[in-house]
Every structure is written in structure tokens, then in C-alpha cells.
């Protein structure tokens, strides 16, 4: 008898196709963890890492674990990013603009100072030439150029009408001001503390305000001066320069002030003097 060979049945191979979606699932989970990690501290570099992770996961790449270049490590990032203390780091464009604006402002402040010093010298020369040193004075400070005029040089006692022989003074000041048309001008009237109550003026407020307005009217006879830059105000006896207890002090307090206001104020000095800069 011939021997019958018994063929042993081979075991079937286990289907391993499930490993492919399983590997993809692991890759997606890894990408998710990277996203969650990035959300803890948001910055540009971590967003790039997140973008790279999604790109690898969804475009059929070789996977994050086999492509170490997909994620930038902290050491690599330190090498790529310049240190904030790096002396070779270029200043931001905004810093350059601020520097330019500051330089421009300093130039304008310098030019304004020169203009006001020139105007002060013109007025001082006029005062000296016309023998008005006892009636007028000028003062230039961090906020303004102020011209102080004694009331005796302009008005009769208890009157707000500028004396005819004093009109030339107001006209001359207006002529000098027209050379500098870009400044705000404040004309203010002041009195002593002696009460006044007439059919024209009920109080020193009325008198001081009327005197400021009448003097400003003559200044504005100069057609080259813009009324929009002028303000008239009266303070009565409330801003004295000297004591009202003496005749000399009262005479000093009766005055008209013409203030040429600076357009550019040194902020540091303004804080020391409590000057409010113009808007």
C-alpha cells in the first residue's frame, strides 16, 4: 500500500490591515496633544509648530516621529530668535517715528524761542526809545511772552476808553504782533481793590473787562491780525501783583497784560511750573 501523505492544514494569517488606521489615529492624537500644549502659551513659534503638525497629519506625510524636522525644539528656537538684549537688534519702525517726531518738536521749540526773544527785543527797544520804562515791561517765561502796561499809560481814572495819545502804543504793539500771526493772544485787565460803582461799571470786574476789550479793539485794527486768535478777559482785583495796602502797590495792580502764548511747551519744565500744555 502506498502511504498516504496527510497534508496538515496551514493556519490562516491574521489580517493586519487595521494597523494603518490605528497608526493614523495615533498620529492625530499626537497632533491634538501638540495643539493643547501650544494653547497653554500662545506665541508665533508655537502656532508654527501647530501648523506643521496638522500639515504632517493631514497631507499624508511620513509622520511626526519619522520627521524630526517638523517640530522646532526649544534649543533650535533659541538659536533662531535674537535675544532681546542683542545689541545688533534693529529698533522698531515706531521708535524711529517717535525719534523723528521728538526731533521735529525740539526744532520747533528752538525756532519759537528765537521768535519770542526777537519780539521781546523789539518791544523792549520801543519802550526804551519812547521813554516808557516806568509804564511797560516784558517778561518771557516757559509759557508765554507777557507785556504788562500800566493803566496810567492807557486810561483816565475810572475809564475804559484808551487815551488818544496812547493809541499809538497799542497800534505799535499790533504792528509787531503781525510778524508772528500763529500765536494765541490773551488781553487781560486788572484793577486794584478799591470798589467802583458807576452808571458805566457796577464793579471792578466790569471795569477790568471793558479795558481789556477796548485795548484789544485797537490791536485788531491791524487787518493782518486774526480775531480768532484773540481773547479778552477781566480779573478785577483778584490777581494783584503787589499789596493793595499802599498807593504804590495799587498803582502796580492796575494794569493791562498782553500774553503771547507759546505753541510748544517744554513738558519737563511745564510740570515743574504746573503749566498745562496746549492740546
Amino acid at each position: 500500500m502506498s502511504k498516504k501523505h496527510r497534508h496538515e492544514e496551514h493556519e490562516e494569517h491574521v489580517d493586519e490591515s487595521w494597523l494603518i488606521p490605528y497608526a493614523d489615529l495615533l498620529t492625530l492624537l499626537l497632533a491634538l496633544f501638540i495643539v493643547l500644549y501650544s494653547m497653554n502659551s500662545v506665541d508665533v513659534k508655537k502656532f508654527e509648530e501647530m501648523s506643521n503638525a496638522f500639515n504632517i497629519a493631514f497631507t499624508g506625510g511620513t509622520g511626526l516621529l519619522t520627521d524630526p524636522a517638523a517640530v522646532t525644539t526649544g534649543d533650535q528656537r533659541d538659536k533662531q530668535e535674537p535675544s532681546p538684549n542683542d545689541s545688533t537688534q534693529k529698533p522698531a519702525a515706531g521708535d524711529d517715528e517717535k525719534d523723528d517726531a521728538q526731533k521735529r518738536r525740539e526744532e520747533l521749540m528752538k525756532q519759537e524761542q528765537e521768535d519770542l526773544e526777537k519780539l521781546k527785543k523789539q518791544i523792549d527797544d520801543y519802550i526804551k526809545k519812547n521813554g516808557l520804562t516806568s509804564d511797560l515791561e516784558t517778561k518771557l517765561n516757559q509759557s508765554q511772552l507777557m507785556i504788562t502796561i500800566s493803566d496810567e499809560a492807557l486810561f483816565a481814572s475810572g475809564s475804559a476808553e484808551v487815551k488818544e495819545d496812547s493809541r499809538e502804543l497799542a497800534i505799535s504793539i499790533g504792528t509787531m504782533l503781525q510778524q508772528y500771526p500763529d500765536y494765541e493772544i490773551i488781553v487781560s485787565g486788572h484793577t486794584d481793590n478799591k470798589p467802583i460803582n458807576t452808571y458805566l461799571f457796577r464793579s471792578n470786574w466790569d471795569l477790568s473787562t471793558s479795558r481789556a476789550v477796548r485795548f484789544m479793539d485797537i490791536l485788531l485794527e491791524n487787518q493782518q491780525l486774526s480775531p480768532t486768535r484773540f481773547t479778552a478777559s477781566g480779573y478785577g482785583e483778584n490777581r494783584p501783583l503787589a499789596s493793595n495796602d499802599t498807593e504804590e502797590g495799587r498803582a502796580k495792580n492796575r494794569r493791562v497784560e498782553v500774553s503771547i502764548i507759546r505753541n510748544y511747551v517744554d513738558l519737563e519744565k511745564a510740570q515743574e511750573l504746573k503749566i498745562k500744555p496746549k492740546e
Side-chain angles (χ1 to χ4, degrees):
M1 287 181 67
S2 60
K3 294 182 179 180
K4 293 182 179 181
H5 297 281
R6 182 180 295 176
H7 297 282
E8 296 181 357
E9 295 182 358
H10 295 283
E11 294 182 0
E12 294 184 0
H13 290 284
V14 178
D15 186 2
E16 298 179 353
S17 59
W18 61 273
L19 290 174
I20 296 175
Y22 179 73
D24 289 340
L25 178 60
L26 290 179
T27 302
L28 290 173
L29 286 174
L30 183 58
L32 175 61
F33 291 140
I34 292 175
V35 171
L36 294 176
Y37 174 75
S38 300
M39 291 175 65
N40 287 333
S41 178
V42 179
D43 59 29
V44 176
K45 289 298 180 181
K46 289 186 177 180
F47 271 117
E48 291 177 356
E49 294 175 4
M50 179 182 68
S51 177
N52 289 334
F54 275 115
N55 186 53
I56 295 297
F58 292 112
T59 58
T62 56
L64 291 172
L65 298 178
T66 57
D67 186 8
V71 179
T72 304
T73 65
D75 292 340
Q76 292 171 328
R77 187 161 58 244
D78 292 340
K79 294 179 180 178
Q80 293 173 0
E81 293 180 352
S83 170
N85 298 324
D86 190 351
S87 60
T88 61
Q89 187 176 2
K90 295 182 179 179
D95 293 339
D96 291 339
E97 293 177 0
K98 289 181 181 179
D99 290 342
D100 292 341
Q102 180 63 25
K103 289 179 181 178
R104 177 59 179 162
R105 180 179 176 83
E106 290 175 356
E107 291 174 358
L108 292 172
M109 290 175 61
K110 182 180 179 181
Q111 183 61 53
E112 181 175 81
Q113 180 69 19
E114 293 175 357
D115 290 344
L116 292 178
E117 287 178 355
K118 183 178 179 181
L119 177 57
K120 183 180 187 302
K121 185 177 186 306
Q122 287 179 312
I123 298 171
D124 288 343
D125 290 344
Y126 177 88
I127 293 171
K128 184 177 180 180
K129 180 180 178 181
N130 291 276
L132 298 172
T133 53
S134 61
D135 295 320
L136 280 84
E137 68 175 358
T138 62
K139 182 182 294 184
L140 179 60
N141 58 32
Q142 297 301 321
S143 63
Q144 63 194 344
L145 169 60
M146 180 181 290
I147 308 166
T148 302
I149 310 169
S150 168
D151 76 320
E152 293 183 356
L154 299 175
F155 310 102
S157 178
S159 172
E161 294 299 322
V162 178
K163 294 186 288 189
E164 192 60 33
D165 58 353
S166 299
R167 287 180 58 85
E168 182 182 349
L169 169 62
I171 292 171
S172 298
I173 292 176
T175 301
M176 287 182 273
L177 289 178
Q178 78 178 22
Q179 303 172 57
Y180 308 96
D182 298 327
Y183 292 96
E184 300 286 338
I185 311 294
I186 299 176
V187 183
S188 58
H190 304 263
T191 67
D192 58 27
N193 67 342
K194 281 191 172 183
I196 184 172
N197 187 1
T198 68
Y199 72 98
L200 288 176
F201 310 109
R202 294 185 302 170
S203 66
N204 283 325
W205 286 100
D206 284 349
L207 177 60
S208 62
T209 302
S210 295
R211 285 181 168 181
V213 172
R214 297 288 80 79
F215 188 82
M216 184 180 68
D217 286 342
I218 301 176
L219 292 177
L220 290 175
E221 289 179 4
N222 188 316
Q223 298 297 316
Q224 297 188 40
L225 295 176
S226 173
T228 60
R229 292 190 170 273
F230 279 73
T231 302
S233 60
Y235 294 99
E237 70 270 22
N238 296 292
R239 296 193 179 183
L241 295 177
S243 172
N244 280 304
D245 295 334
T246 64
E247 181 55 38
E248 182 181 2
R250 288 192 293 272
K252 190 172 184 179
N253 291 333
R254 298 190 299 268
R255 67 198 188 277
V256 169
E257 295 175 342
V258 181
S259 300
I260 299 94
I261 307 301
R262 288 181 184 269
N263 292 315
Y264 303 96
V265 176
D266 188 315
L267 298 180
E268 292 183 358
K269 293 181 179 179
Q271 289 179 351
E272 294 175 2
L273 300 173
K274 296 184 180 179
I275 299 170
K276 183 179 179 181
K278 293 177 65 176
E279 299 294 336

